[in-house]
């Protein structure tokens, strides 16, 4: 039996889009592009220095988008890249970058932490489990598209 989940699907898509819009609004309020905010967020979350490959892996956007943001942030003296070994690079924040990260990405992380700490452990676990399951199922279904 194939149930019609159009109402639920539409609500899910609406919530995903509104969540993206809220993060976009945060970046705009801080005077940052989404991609620059993502880089700063990822560095704050992962710790510094941060391997470039970790930023690319954890940011959820294309490598090209990350590289453009890095060039912009580097030009503004927010961060710099350091060659570590071979092709690997590490991203370091400058003093100016650390201050900017504290005033922007760290505040978003604090909001997220506040939200999760206001939920029960069970609610957090259920939210994460269902979100992860949806993502895994969606990726699996995408593999079968022709």
């Amino acid at each position: 039996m194939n149930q019609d989940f159009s109402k639920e699907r539409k609500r899910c898509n609406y919530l995903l889009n509104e969540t993206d819009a809220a993060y976009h609004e945060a970046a705009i309020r801080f005077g940052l592009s989404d991609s620059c905010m993502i880089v700063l967020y990822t560095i704050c979350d992962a710790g510094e220095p941060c391997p470039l490959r970790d930023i690319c892996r954890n940011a959820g956007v294309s490598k090209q988008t990350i590289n453009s943001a890095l060039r912009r942030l580097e030009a503004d003296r927010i961060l710099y890249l350091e060659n570590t070994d071979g092709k690997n690079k590490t991203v370091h924040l400058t003093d100016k970058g650390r201050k900017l990260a504290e005033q922007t990405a760290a505040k978003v992380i604090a909001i997220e932490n506040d939200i999760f700490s206001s939920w029960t452990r069970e609610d957090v676990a259920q939210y994460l489990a269902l979100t992860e399951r949806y993502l895994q199922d969606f990726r699996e279904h995408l593999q079968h598209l022709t």
Side-chain angles (χ1 to χ4, degrees), residues 9-60:
R9 180 187 45 76
K10 287 177 183 178
R11 180 148 172 80
C12 179
N13 287 326
Y14 169 79
L15 292 171
L16 291 171
N17 291 334
E18 285 298 308
T19 301
D20 286 346
Y23 280 94
H24 173 71
E25 181 182 337
I28 295 301
R29 285 183 184 218
F30 294 132
L32 295 170
S33 68
D34 291 343
S35 57
C36 288
M37 182 67 169
I38 288 168
V39 169
L40 290 174
Y41 181 100
T42 305
I43 294 169
C44 280
D45 196 44
E48 190 198 352
C50 187
L52 178 57
R53 70 178 176 275
D54 289 356
I55 294 173
C56 292
R57 186 177 329 139
N58 297 330

Side-chain angles (χ1 to χ4, degrees), residues 2 133-146:
N2 194 3
R133 181 176 163 194
Y134 181 87
L135 177 60
Q136 288 173 346
D137 288 350
F138 189 79
R139 284 182 173 154
E140 183 180 316
H141 282 77
L142 283 177
Q143 290 178 353
H144 303 294
L145 287 178
T146 55

Side-chain angles (χ1 to χ4, degrees), residues 45-113:
D45 196 44
E48 190 198 352
C50 187
L52 178 57
R53 70 178 176 275
D54 289 356
I55 294 173
C56 292
R57 186 177 329 139
N58 297 330
V61 295
S62 73
K63 198 172 183 178
Q64 181 180 357
T65 299
I66 294 300
N67 285 328
S68 295
L70 289 171
R71 282 193 296 276
R72 223 176 350 226
L73 292 167
E74 205 170 18
D76 290 340
R77 302 183 192 272
I78 302 299
L79 56 76
Y80 63 94
L81 293 135
E82 178 181 59
N83 288 325
T84 49
D85 53 21
K87 296 190 297 185
N88 295 323
K89 293 183 180 183
T90 317
V91 180
H92 299 263
L93 293 173
T94 63
D95 289 338
K96 180 181 175 183
R98 278 186 209 91
K99 185 175 180 181
L100 179 64
E102 284 298 316
Q103 295 170 343
T104 59
K107 288 183 178 183
V108 171
I109 291 170
I111 289 169
E112 294 168 334
N113 286 336

